[in-house]
Amino acid sequence: MFNKKFRHRALIFCLVAVCSMLFLQGCGSKSTSSSSDGSSQNSGSKEDKAPEEDYLSKMKEFTTPDKTVSIYLNQDWSEEDLQMDCWLGAGSKKGDKAVVVMQFPKSGPNQMADSLDSVIDLFESSYQISEKADTDAPAITELDNVTASTAKMSAGGVTGDSYVVYGETDFAYYALAYIADKMKDDDIASFKASCTKFHENAPEAENNFSAEMTDTIRWFNASYAILTDLNNWDYNLFGGLPANDDSAAAVQQLLPEWWDVTDRASADETLDWILTEGHRTSFAEDMKTLEENGATPDTSSEDLISMLINDFGFDEEEAQSYAGAYAMYAEFGPEAITGWDYCRAMNLLGYYYIAGHYSEQEALDKSLEIAQTMQPLFESWDDLIDSYLRGYEYWAQGDSEERRALYEEIKTRDDNPFQIDFKMGLEKTW
């Protein structure tokens, strides 16, 4: 969950900064002379548009700093530093036109969006969008699900016209925006020609994980696959990410925010806490307190909620949450949420390895120890995940419908990690 929260904030900041910079550097000028890319300001009719080859003959290749994306733009334009290695910005000399190409990797430490729709929502929520209209999209061989729209957009107190194209590859989602003071048909035609030269050079991430991916390690990965997938990481990798410096930096940001883990000592302390106490201990204590104050398995949820509100000053939401937790306790006993703690312990070990707090050998050895402890406590993946989701509901004081639905959906995939026999013999294979 860290990635969605943290990278959403970062993405909004970057989009606002990028668009403000481009607008403030010139988009919104009042020039009425010929356009900076050589097209006539009066060539607004479709009949006057030049052939695609004519546009491309006046262009050159522009590439993102990390060399993963390139596109052809007017040869007289200048690049702009967008402070993002996978983003490209360029503008005309007069500053009345600009293009921004934004890449949103689908997984890994640079993941910033979890769907094409979320890219569109984030892009459009970053500034005032008005008069939006769907329009014809360019033919881009390397992109799937391509759509386009025109709109008025504002940043830094300046308003301009925009033509924005969205699409995706197996590696990333993309937003390609052409921004102009006054958009002409010829501008859009020129940008469509540019888009035909869009090229992705998806990187192969370095992965320093050396162990063979055996069924035992796949079993480890499956135990925390729900959270891995929620983060848009890869449950086929130990820890969910390729083991490299970029991944280490990302997880080193995650651990302090969510776990107060900053080094080896705090990593050991947190793992020890979750294995010896965890949330199952506070759960059992809370439920025991309810029983000491009159709750029994025969107490209705309505009566328990009323007691918590009237006798203990709980608000409605808190009372409902504790009533739900007591229902779990009444049915499954004090160990009702044990799966929550064990799955999170397995997840932590993956994090510790990626962050560099544990070596590969240490993380795998401890994962095997915990897996062999938890496996006999449950009959199947469904049994374990039921316990995990009950624990999530207790911790989050809410429902687990999203995670439940994701679990069921993951089981339909070709690479379903839960295909591994839950009762398999877990053994050291590294």
Side-chain angles (χ1 to χ4, degrees), residues 4 33 35 39 171 208 230 246 258 274 326 355 364 377 386 405:
K4 288 187 177 181
S33 61
S35 69
S39 60
F171 172 69
N208 295 313
L230 280 171
D246 288 341
W258 289 96
I274 203 169
Y326 187 76
L364 290 173
L377 303 177
D386 283 345

Side-chain angles (χ1 to χ4, degrees), residues 98 115 300 336 379 382:
S115 69
S300 68
E379 295 301 317
D382 284 350

